[in-house]
Amino acid sequence: MLLDLLGVVYDGDTQIAGAASAIERLRRAGLPLRFVSNTTRAPRGAIIAQLAAMGIKVADEELLTPARAAVEWLRKHDRQPHLLVHPDLEVEFSGLEGGSGRAVIVGDAGEAFDHANLNRAFRELIAGADFVALAVNRTFKDTDGLLSLDTGAFVAALEFASGRSPVVLGKPSPDFFHSALTDLNCPAADAVMIGDDAESDVAGALGAGLGAALLVRTGKYRPGDETRFNPAPTALVDDVATATDWIISRAAA
């Protein structure tokens, strides 16, 4: 079982109704869980603490984020990062200053997505630095309840200007989903993804070979999202609680 966080389990600092009890039901049913989030504004410890404050206990190994994947990528390729990320996320990349080459790492930098920072990243890219995107989501549901530009818009600007295509580490990268499933020792065909993003969560999971992907009507979902991307969701459900009903009923069949 793979679950998105923002828009599925919580909005801002508020738990989505029934999320904690749904997660507990999945655990009681014996279904191993991984939380796969494209959130790149907060470090792992802050995400886990936020969930704990909502009554949802998540172990460190149960949370997979693009920042963790990026740290592993940088070490594997012996690169030091040029960061275009939210200031709160920079701590995740400490101790990686000694690589033999450079890589531009782009996440949801928020207000740091200004011309000066984007131009510095652009100049790194045209000088030969590797190009790594933590995610390429188009939008996210912001704290005011409205949609805001997400990382993908700024990644696209850098891609257009530099003529370079990024390595994408978060959803919808198949490697991201497969990494989560490897930790679960679960064949892709037996796995289910729950998300509010029809493109990155749902089509991404199905494109990676997962057996099912459920689109919830919470978070960033807007009517008609279920028809906008291929593959289409296995099912459209109201929220994570009804997704849990769907999963448990089929597991028991």
Side-chain angles (χ1 to χ4, degrees), residues 1-11 14-23 25-26 141 192-197 202 213-221 235-248:
M1 271 299 313
L2 305 183
L3 291 90
D4 186 27
L5 287 175
L6 181 62
V8 174
V9 175
Y10 58 76
D11 272 330
T14 304
Q15 178 195 154
I16 291 175
S21 59
I23 291 167
R25 287 172 59 207
L26 292 169
K141 186 177 178 181
V192 181
M193 173 72 200
I194 304 173
D196 68 325
D197 187 319
V202 173
L214 309 182
L215 180 63
V216 295
R217 292 188 178 94
T218 54
K220 70 167 67 175
Y221 171 80
L236 177 65
V237 296
D238 287 339
D239 51 28
V240 69
T242 52
T244 298
D245 293 337
W246 190 96
I247 292 162
I248 291 177

Side-chain angles (χ1 to χ4, degrees), residues 67-98:
R68 169 164 285 191
V71 169
E72 293 174 356
W73 188 96
L74 288 163
R75 287 174 173 156
K76 178 180 178 180
H77 293 87
D78 191 29
R79 296 291 187 265
Q80 56 179 301
H82 174 92
L83 297 175
L84 181 53
V85 301
H86 194 280
D88 290 347
L89 195 69
E90 292 179 0
V91 65
E92 297 273 0
F93 296 91
S94 61
L96 294 169
E97 294 81 13

